[in-house]
Amino acid sequence: SAEDVKRSVDGFLAECLPGLPLSAALNYGEMLYFEICRLVMERSGSFPAGNVFFDRSWTRENACAQLSEALHSAALDAHCLIAEGRKRSSVVMAAVEYIDRHYAESLTLGRIAEAIFVSPPYLSSLFREKMGVTLTAYIHKVRIDHAKELLLQDQLSIQRIAELIGYRHEKHFMQTFKKAVGMTPSQFRFKKNS
C-alpha cells in the first residue's frame, strides 16, 4: 500500500541520515532512487519522468527535506506504476506503439515482430503474459475504439469505416464490433446519435 511505501522510505531515512555527512546521505539517497528507477524500468518498460537528482538544486539547509521528498515521490510513483499493473516490457511497449501507429494497415504477428526485431513466438508469448490478452485481441480493441469515434460521423459508411481501421471485409468488421461492443456498428451509431 501507499502507507507501506511511506513507512519503508521513512525507515530508510531514519537509519541512514542521522550522523552522516551531507554528501554521504545524498549518495545513499541517490543509490536508492536509482534502484527504484531500475525496478520501475523492469516492471513498466519506461524510466520515471524527471530525475530528481539532476533536476533539483540542492541546498545544504534543505537537503534532508529535499531528499525525503524526492525519495517519497519516486517510491510512490513506482508503487503506483506497479500496482496499476503496468508490468510491460520494452518489447511489449514497442509492439503497442507499433499497433497504435499502424492499426489501419494489415497487421500480423510476423509483421509486428519483424518491425520491433523479435521472433513471432517470443512476442506472442510475452504480449499475452504482460498484457493479459493476445496480440490479435489487442489489435481488434484498438481498431474498435477508433471505429467508435468514426461512427459518430454520419457521412462515413460502415464499409468505409471498416477500411479506414484496417478491416478488408465489412462483414468481419461487423462481427468483431458486435462481439466487442454488444451491438452492430449501425446500432451503435443510431444509439449515440439519438
Side-chain angles (χ1 to χ4, degrees):
S1 74
E3 280 303 311
D4 292 332
V5 170
K6 183 177 179 349
R7 275 193 298 276
S8 296
V9 172
D10 288 341
F12 170 82
L13 294 170
E15 281 193 33
C16 293
L17 285 186
L20 280 180
L22 179 61
S23 62
L26 289 177
N27 284 339
Y28 283 125
E30 188 174 15
M31 284 191 301
L32 178 59
Y33 176 78
F34 282 107
E35 191 59 26
I36 291 168
C37 290
R38 185 191 61 75
L39 177 66
V40 172
M41 284 287 293
E42 281 180 6
R43 300 292 175 94
S44 71
S46 60
F47 198 79
N51 182 320
V52 293
F53 283 90
F54 298 138
D55 296 343
R56 185 180 292 256
S57 56
W58 297 92
T59 61
R60 190 173 245 347
E61 304 80 42
N62 295 327
C64 290
Q66 288 175 310
L67 178 60
S68 174
E69 179 189 331
L71 291 175
H72 279 100
S73 176
L76 192 57
D77 288 349
H79 170 72
C80 290
L81 281 171
I82 293 165
E84 288 173 12
R86 293 189 185 167
K87 298 177 183 171
R88 302 176 189 152
S89 73
S90 58
V91 169
V92 172
M93 296 302 283
V96 165
E97 288 171 13
Y98 185 86
I99 293 165
D100 290 345
R101 282 192 319 268
H102 300 276
Y103 69 88
E105 301 169 16
S106 176
L107 292 178
T108 63
L109 172 62
R111 181 175 178 186
I112 297 166
E114 182 181 338
I116 62 171
F117 309 105
V118 295
S119 72
Y122 175 70
L123 176 58
S124 177
S125 160
L126 188 65
F127 197 93
R128 185 179 185 101
E129 175 191 329
K130 299 293 185 184
M131 296 291 286
V133 295
T134 65
L135 189 75
T136 302
Y138 182 78
I139 292 168
H140 287 311
K141 180 195 174 309
V142 169
R143 288 175 170 170
I144 296 303
D145 288 346
H146 284 282
K148 288 177 182 178
E149 292 173 23
L150 293 172
L151 283 165
L152 300 178
Q153 302 172 22
D154 285 332
Q155 67 273 20
L156 294 173
S157 70
I158 303 295
Q159 181 178 352
R160 181 68 183 134
I161 291 172
E163 293 167 359
L164 288 172
I165 61 168
Y167 289 98
R168 286 189 190 165
H169 305 287
E170 180 182 4
K171 184 177 180 183
H172 182 223
F173 163 62
M174 291 173 67
Q175 290 170 338
T176 304
F177 189 95
K178 185 170 184 175
K179 184 177 177 184
V181 180
M183 62 183 83
T184 67
S186 297
Q187 291 168 331
F188 178 86
R189 174 179 271 168
F190 180 76
K191 185 175 181 180
K192 292 296 177 181
N193 289 338
S194 61

